[in-house]
Amino acid sequence: MTATGEHSSLQTPAAGSSARPWRDQLATAIRSPAELRRRLGLAADPTGDDHGFPVLVPEAYLSRMRPGDPDDPLLRQVLPLALEGVVVDGFSADPVGESACQAAPGLLRKYRGRALLVATGACAVHCRYCFRRHYPYQDRPRGRHWWSTAIEHVAADPTIDEVILSGGDPLVLGNQTLAAILSDLGDIAHLRRLRFHTRMPVVLPERVDDALLSALVGRPWPMVMVLHANHPNEIDAGVATAIARLRSVGLLVLNQAVLLAGVNDDVDVLARLSNALFTAGALPYYLHVLDPVAGAAHYAVPDRRAQDLVAGVRERLPGYLVPRLVREVAGASGKVPL
Ligand SMILES: *Cc1c(COP(=O)(O)O)cnc(C)c1O
Ligand code: SF4
């Protein structure tokens, strides 16, 4: 690698200039099952039921789906199905016991040494398999008074060395709000890492705009952004640009996926996902088995099959492209490997 050659590519890649600002795209996102079907040229569903979890799909994500294909792997993540109404034993409204972990308003102490700041309940997309699908997503306009309480708690507890901005999706917050949160956290001497868990750079890559990069640059700790893509078709040129931009300001970019029947329960698809992520500049980190949330049982993949799939990926790819297969267990101090 030469200083003039490779290093010159570390300049911040430009965001797509023709794209509309992310807030406009979010404001005009698809919000009904009927519109989603119509836009993809699919037959109407007479029930049109969203099972109490509204549809939310930005255009940028829709544009990666195949029109006319009801089995499209991206569509399957966001389209309500009658199967969601089937009650299945063991699938509940709060499968990971999250409501028991609240240490302060908006602060979850679930994992040892790490605190989750639930910065907002809102997301840029609604994933049908989400374990938070039964939470009241929309009803939380929050201001500085709210996160200052959470940050005081972090400041008072030196055993916390990492804050994870989570949600919902923390990148639904505006850049000024994020910058203010990061600045407040920057005053806490015992923090060593800062992490985001977000699906936004995947579903709405224009979110990684210049002002976000400005808010991220120059912070006192290394930062990690864990993306959430489940299928290689989600990784398009816009996503690759967003990842390159995050890396250009020094972030480590990882991905977590959820293993979903009918979406990515296939060795070839998982291997292609790892390859697409790596080509775009992100490393596969976790492959989660489904949290048993009510309404999502049709996405479940048996443990044995999950282990076989990951073994299949391991046969094909180098170790750094094989995600760790894990499960969320209520009350455990971290993810549990399968
Ligand atoms: C698993 C998980 C974490 C913690 O992840 P570790 O890498 O095990 O510390 C934080 N946030 C979300 C949303 C997670 O799914
Ligand atoms: S983006 Fe994440 S938190 Fe939001 S609905 Fe999808 S899986 Fe759930």
Side-chain angles (χ1 to χ4, degrees):
M1 183 186 301
T2 66
T4 49
E6 295 284 347
H7 286 164
S8 64
S9 69
L10 286 177
Q11 287 166 359
T12 303
S17 53
S18 59
R20 286 188 300 140
W22 67 275
R23 281 208 192 277
D24 291 357
Q25 293 196 51
L26 203 48
T28 59
I30 293 166
R31 288 168 199 274
S32 84
E35 192 190 353
L36 182 55
R37 287 178 178 276
R38 188 177 55 73
R39 291 290 305 278
L40 290 166
L42 298 172
D45 169 11
T47 73
D49 194 352
D50 69 10
H51 304 273
F53 183 43
V55 162
L56 180 62
V57 184
E59 291 286 334
Y61 195 65
L62 180 89
S63 71
R64 287 167 247 168
M65 299 176 192
R66 294 183 294 252
D69 181 0
D71 295 326
D72 178 88
L74 278 58
L75 178 66
R76 285 190 65 108
Q77 298 178 48
V78 296
L79 180 69
L81 296 178
L83 281 169
E84 291 179 29
V86 178
V87 175
V88 178
D89 250 15
F91 285 73
S92 68
D94 183 15
V96 299
E98 194 160 79
S99 42
C101 309
Q102 184 134 321
L107 194 78
L108 301 180
R109 293 298 308 276
K110 226 166 129 173
Y111 309 108
R112 184 169 300 164
R114 292 146 284 175
L116 266 92
L117 199 58
V118 181
T120 169
C123 292
V125 66
H126 285 174
C127 314
R128 308 311 299 176
Y129 53 83
C130 181
F131 77 90
R132 291 197 174 92
R133 58 175 288 161
H134 299 284
Y135 292 21
Y137 262 87
Q138 297 85 356
D139 62 349
R140 296 197 184 178
R142 289 163 154 178
R144 191 171 196 124
H145 62 281
W146 154 75
W147 84 73
S148 58
T149 314
I151 286 175
E152 276 164 29
H153 180 99
V154 175
D157 184 349
T159 69
I160 300 174
D161 57 14
E162 176 171 358
V163 168
I164 301 170
L165 298 191
S166 186
D169 194 315
L171 293 190
V172 167
L173 298 179
N175 294 316
Q176 287 186 353
T177 304
L178 287 171
I181 292 174
L182 294 178
S183 296
D184 288 355
L185 290 170
D187 294 334
I188 304 175
H190 57 259
L191 288 185
R192 305 172 67 157
R193 299 178 299 274
L194 195 286
R195 187 175 358 161
F196 293 85
H197 273 255
T198 171
R199 192 146 161 66
M200 192 79 117
V202 171
V203 294
L204 222 175
E206 284 77 22
R207 175 65 189 89
V208 184
D209 56 12
D210 291 344
L212 177 63
L213 298 187
S214 302
L216 295 175
V217 81
R219 298 295 170 187
W221 356 256
M223 287 191 276
V224 182
M225 198 166 278
V226 182
L227 309 180
H228 177 176
N230 300 316
H231 192 280
N233 293 5
E234 287 174 71
I235 315 297
D236 67 358
V239 176
T241 299
I243 294 171
R245 285 164 60 78
L246 293 166
R247 290 181 49 166
S248 75
V249 293
L251 272 77
L252 174 66
V253 184
L254 305 175
N255 184 69
Q256 62 175 8
V258 180
L259 185 58
L260 300 166
V263 174
N264 60 8
D265 57 336
D266 178 272
V267 174
D268 188 56
V269 169
L270 291 171
R272 286 196 291 123
L273 174 61
S274 281
N275 272 317
L277 287 165
F278 187 69
T279 301
L283 281 172
Y285 178 37
Y286 279 142
L287 179 63
H288 286 256
V289 296
L290 183 77
D291 296 316
V293 62
H298 55 290
Y299 289 113
V301 176
D303 285 359
R304 182 59 209 273
R305 170 92 181 125
Q307 288 163 329
D308 287 348
L309 288 167
V310 174
V313 175
R314 195 174 290 117
E315 274 175 21
R316 291 200 198 178
L317 295 181
Y320 59 88
L321 295 186
V322 183
R324 301 158 174 82
L325 181 65
V326 293
R327 183 196 313 283
E328 190 78 46
V329 175
S333 65
K335 302 270 149 94
V336 179
L338 256 78

